[in-house]
Amino acid sequence: MNNEPIIAIDGPSGAGKSTLSRRLARALSYTYIDTGAMYRSVALAAQRARIDPDDDSSLAELCDTIRIEFVRGGESDRVLLDGEDVSSEIRTPENSLLTSRISSRLPVREAMVRLQREMGARGAVVLEGRDIGTVVFPEADVKFFLSASARERGRRRYEELKAKGLEVDLDQTIAEVEARDAADSAREHAPLLMAADAFDIDTTQKNIEEVLEEMLHVVEAKRLSAAQFKRNGP
Ligand code: DC
């Protein structure tokens, strides 16, 4: 393990990735990088510029001109698109659907992967996404793959949207989660895949604290074995 480790957290939506990535980063005093928020920001920028989601050359140009940043805030980080706080606007169901399409485009993936590598290069980071352990940082020090049943993930998403005051239907939300999974897994570029060396954690029947504890154990065990390796040599 490097002195300043990189932790990759991948998995489908609703598996608890965001909460756990944020909590793990906080517990370790690492920087948290939400790569989904980056794709969501590109989708919002594309929508505002009225760019066709299949128009790769316009998307490439857009990615070259926009600026995406994270600002650390008390409870939650804020996402800035060209200096504007878009943290809430990128979380609508409409944006989720568009992001699923936009994030499958090669120029968008190339631009975001480049940016994510720059953001994570110094280590002491937790990166959350779909392809962190496989594409962005295949050499990450610790990789987690969080999963949960589609039904449970749909239920979590439903509760989240309802809490925001949105009118939602449980069955429809589950169906949307399944459709988005299928699209994310079947796409040509960087499909959702578990890295061979990732720790697979099924969160269906577990609460946040239980999973966080499990993850902290894994990180600590990795740290110890890396320290031993350094002392004793291969
Ligand atoms: O994690 P999220 O729900 O905010 O992600 C939004 C969308 O972006 C989702 O359709 C998957 C996609 N995404 C991706 O393709 N690669 C990533 N590294 C992160 C997210």
Side-chain angles (χ1 to χ4, degrees):
M1 197 185 261
N2 297 324
N3 288 337
E4 300 291 350
I6 293 173
I7 299 181
I9 303 186
D10 293 304
S13 52
K17 285 194 313 293
S18 297
T19 309
L20 283 158
S21 303
R22 197 177 305 119
R23 291 281 306 271
L24 185 68
R26 200 186 303 156
L28 298 167
S29 297
Y30 287 5
T31 300
Y32 164 51
I33 299 172
D34 174 1
T35 64
M38 298 168 74
Y39 288 101
R40 286 173 180 274
S41 300
V42 176
L44 180 64
Q47 186 199 14
R48 286 177 174 178
R50 299 185 196 286
I51 292 173
D52 183 315
D54 297 328
D55 178 355
D56 281 345
S57 64
S58 299
L59 286 173
E61 211 180 304
L62 179 79
C63 288
D64 276 348
T65 50
I66 58 173
R67 193 162 37 94
I68 299 171
E69 300 157 288
F70 291 103
V71 201
R72 313 288 146 208
E75 264 309 287
S76 60
D77 290 349
R78 315 304 298 169
V79 191
L80 304 189
L81 172 61
D82 292 328
E84 177 194 344
D85 185 349
V86 293
S87 313
S88 306
E89 217 177 323
I90 58 168
R91 302 281 165 202
T92 61
E94 188 194 3
N95 182 271
S96 297
L97 274 179
L98 185 61
T99 306
S100 189
R101 285 186 70 186
I102 294 271
S103 64
S104 71
R105 310 306 305 187
L106 188 58
V108 174
R109 298 216 72 85
E110 286 176 344
M112 290 305 107
V113 168
R114 217 177 304 127
L115 188 53
Q116 288 153 21
R117 286 183 179 150
E118 276 171 28
M119 288 177 165
R122 275 182 295 163
V125 282
V126 173
L127 287 111
E128 175 214 337
R130 302 291 191 288
D131 59 341
I132 310 300
T134 50
V135 176
V136 185
F137 284 109
E139 75 289 7
D141 300 274
V142 188
K143 301 178 188 178
F144 292 102
F145 193 88
L146 301 184
S147 58
S149 71
R151 194 161 183 87
E152 174 62 13
R153 291 185 292 113
R155 192 195 60 75
R156 291 175 187 171
R157 179 85 187 125
Y158 167 80
E159 297 294 344
E160 208 178 286
L161 293 172
K162 222 172 56 169
K164 281 187 194 162
L166 293 167
E167 284 257 339
V168 272
D169 176 81
L170 178 60
D171 287 335
Q172 194 190 330
T173 311
I174 294 171
E176 278 168 13
V177 163
E178 284 172 338
R180 202 140 68 91
D181 279 0
D184 291 344
S185 303
R187 69 182 178 209
E188 186 185 352
H189 308 298
L192 174 64
L193 280 176
M194 182 168 81
D197 52 349
F199 291 88
D200 185 9
I201 303 180
D202 184 341
T203 71
T204 308
Q205 314 253 20
K206 293 176 182 159
N207 65 35
I208 294 292
E209 302 305 328
E210 287 170 317
V211 183
L212 180 63
E213 199 176 319
E214 206 172 325
M215 293 172 95
L216 283 166
H217 269 123
V218 170
V219 174
E220 192 50 33
K222 274 267 179 182
R223 263 187 186 156
L224 286 176
S225 67
Q228 233 159 31
F229 182 83
K230 242 189 204 165
R231 258 203 318 276
N232 304 332

